[in-house]
Amino acid sequence: MAHVISPTAARRRASVLAALRRGLDSRGFLEVTTPVLLKVDASSPAPMHPFGLGGNTYDLRNSIELLLRTALAASSRVYDIGPAIRFEDADKGARSAVEFTLLECFATDLDYDGLIDLMQELLRETFPHLPSKIDHISVVDWFVKTWGISFEENDRTVTREKLAKIAGIGVSTPLWKLIDQIISTHLEPSLEGLVVLINYPIETICLAKRHSSASHIAERFEVYLNGLEIGHGFMDAVDADDVLARMTENGQRFVDQGFVDLLRSGSLPASGGFGLGVERLLAASDGANVDVRHYLHAYQHS
C-alpha cells in the first residue's frame, strides 16, 4: 500500500528544505550531489554499505558521509540533501523509515564548538518556535555522576564489568554496545525539549577525533528534539593508525581497510560534519509522537 503525502505536509517539507538550503548557502556552503547507487568490492569484508544488490556488486547508500568528504577538494564547506536507504530500519515503526531524506554537511574551517553552533543556528532559523533553551549534556560526565564510571580509567576489564551489570547483558559484549545500550535505556528516555548530547566515550565511534583536552573523549554529538534523535555529528579523525586500531577493537566487521588507506593517503582533509534526518526533524518539531512517515514523499511504501 502506497503512502501519499498530504498537501499540507508537502508544503511544510518543501519550506523546511528551502530554509535549510538558505542557511547553508548564506554561510558559504556549496551544494553537491553524491551518488545513491554505489559500486562496491564484493570481496571486501566490511563494505561501507552492506545491504547489497546484484550479488553485492551494487549497494544503495545509507549515508552521504564518505562521498561528501571527498567533495571538500572543491570547497572548504559542502553539503548534500538527498535520499538514504537503511533496510535495517524496516521494523522500527513510526519513528523510522527505510527510505528517508538526509542532510549532511562538512567543513574544514570549523572546530567542535563551531560545528555544534552551526547545527543549532540552522535549527533555530528553520524552526523559530523551538524551545528557547538548549540543554547540553556531556555523556562522559553523565556516566560519572549517574553510575560512578569514569572512562579515564585504564582498567577496561573493570569498566566492562560495571557496564555489563547496568546494561543487563553479557560481559563479553563490546564496550561500544554496552555504552550505547545504557544511553538508549537510561538517558534518552529522560530527554525533553531540545537537547544536545556531547563528549561521548571514544569507544562509541571509530571515525571521530579524540577530544583536544582528553583522549578518552570523542568530539561527537547527537541532537534530540522531544525525545527523538534528529541529528548526529563529529569532528573527523585524521590519524589512520588510531582509526584502524579502534575499528579492530570494536570488531572485525568495523574494519574498513579501504577507508583507512584513503585516510592515510591524505585524500580526506581534516574536517567536521553532521547529518540531520529531515523527516525526523519535521515530525519531532510537531510533537513527541508524530509518525515520521507523514512527511515522506509521495508513493513511499509503508
Side-chain angles (χ1 to χ4, degrees), residues 61 84-91 93 96-100 293 296 300-301:
R61 72 180 183 192
I85 315 296
R86 295 183 184 173
F87 293 112
E88 72 269 33
D89 287 351
D91 299 323
S96 298
V98 170
E99 179 181 352
F100 59 97
R293 293 170 295 186
L296 295 173
Q300 168 72 39
H301 287 280

Side-chain angles (χ1 to χ4, degrees), residues 209-286:
K209 178 184 176 184
R210 293 180 184 271
H211 199 284
S212 56
S213 64
S215 63
H216 67 288
I217 296 174
E219 292 191 346
R220 170 192 178 190
F221 63 90
E222 291 189 353
V223 57
Y224 290 77
L225 178 59
N226 292 325
L228 184 64
E229 180 195 344
I230 59 173
H232 177 217
F234 55 88
M235 298 301 296
D236 299 298
V238 294
D239 185 332
D241 292 330
D242 184 46
V243 168
L244 179 57
R246 286 152 60 189
M247 286 178 171
T248 303
E249 182 177 345
N250 280 1
Q252 186 59 38
R253 72 185 181 92
F254 291 94
V255 177
D256 189 323
Q257 189 61 53
F259 173 82
V260 173
D261 291 343
L262 192 63
L263 189 61
R264 185 171 282 121
S265 73
S267 300
L268 300 176
S271 61
F274 63 82
L276 294 172
V278 174
E279 288 80 19
R280 280 191 165 213
L281 180 53
L282 283 159
S285 67
D286 278 347

Side-chain angles (χ1 to χ4, degrees), residues 65-80:
E65 177 184 336
L66 179 58
L67 291 169
L68 190 56
R69 283 185 69 185
T70 65
L72 288 167
S75 173
S76 62
R77 294 184 167 196
V78 295
Y79 75 95
D80 188 4

Side-chain angles (χ1 to χ4, degrees), residues 17-237:
L17 288 173
L20 291 170
R21 283 190 166 94
R22 282 196 303 272
L24 290 167
D25 291 344
S26 68
R27 291 172 171 82
F29 280 80
L30 175 70
E31 182 173 9
V32 298
T33 302
T34 57
V36 176
L37 185 64
L38 308 175
K39 188 171 183 179
V40 299
D41 181 1
S43 65
S44 172
M48 290 294 288
H49 304 276
F51 305 101
L53 302 173
N56 210 31
T57 301
Y58 290 94
D59 283 335
L60 299 172
R61 72 180 183 192
N62 60 18
S63 176
I64 301 173
E65 177 184 336
L66 179 58
L67 291 169
L68 190 56
R69 283 185 69 185
T70 65
L72 288 167
S75 173
S76 62
R77 294 184 167 196
V78 295
Y79 75 95
D80 188 4
I81 301 177
I85 315 296
R86 295 183 184 173
F87 293 112
E88 72 269 33
D89 287 351
D91 299 323
K92 292 185 177 180
R95 308 286 269 179
S96 298
V98 170
E99 179 181 352
F100 59 97
T101 304
L102 185 64
L103 177 155
E104 290 211 32
C105 64
F106 280 87
T108 60
D109 57 353
L110 292 175
D111 60 12
Y112 185 42
D113 291 335
L115 193 64
I116 294 173
D117 287 344
L118 170 63
M119 179 271 299
Q120 294 176 162
E121 290 168 6
L122 278 179
L123 292 178
R124 283 262 183 256
E125 292 171 9
T126 306
F127 299 96
H129 67 282
L130 289 181
S132 58
K133 181 183 178 184
I134 301 178
D135 290 326
H136 289 184
I137 299 175
S138 167
V139 174
V140 291
D141 289 349
W142 178 80
F143 269 96
V144 171
K145 294 175 183 177
T146 307
W147 307 106
I149 295 175
S150 172
F151 292 94
E152 288 186 89
E153 297 173 357
N154 294 322
D155 192 341
R156 284 294 182 263
T157 300
V158 174
T159 299
R160 184 189 300 275
E161 290 173 350
K162 291 179 180 178
L163 292 171
K165 184 176 181 179
I166 296 166
I169 51 181
V171 74
S172 61
T173 305
L175 273 174
W176 68 267
K177 195 168 186 177
L178 291 170
I179 296 167
D180 281 356
Q181 176 69 25
I182 293 169
I183 292 172
S184 63
T185 303
H186 297 281
L187 177 55
E188 289 181 7
S190 70
L191 303 180
E192 298 180 353
L194 186 56
V195 182
V196 182
L197 300 185
I198 61 173
N199 297 350
Y200 280 72
I202 196 67
E203 291 85 357
T204 61
I205 187 168
C206 304
L207 304 183
K209 178 184 176 184
R210 293 180 184 271
H211 199 284
S212 56
S213 64
S215 63
H216 67 288
I217 296 174
E219 292 191 346
R220 170 192 178 190
F221 63 90
E222 291 189 353
V223 57
Y224 290 77
L225 178 59
N226 292 325
L228 184 64
E229 180 195 344
I230 59 173
H232 177 217
F234 55 88
M235 298 301 296
D236 299 298

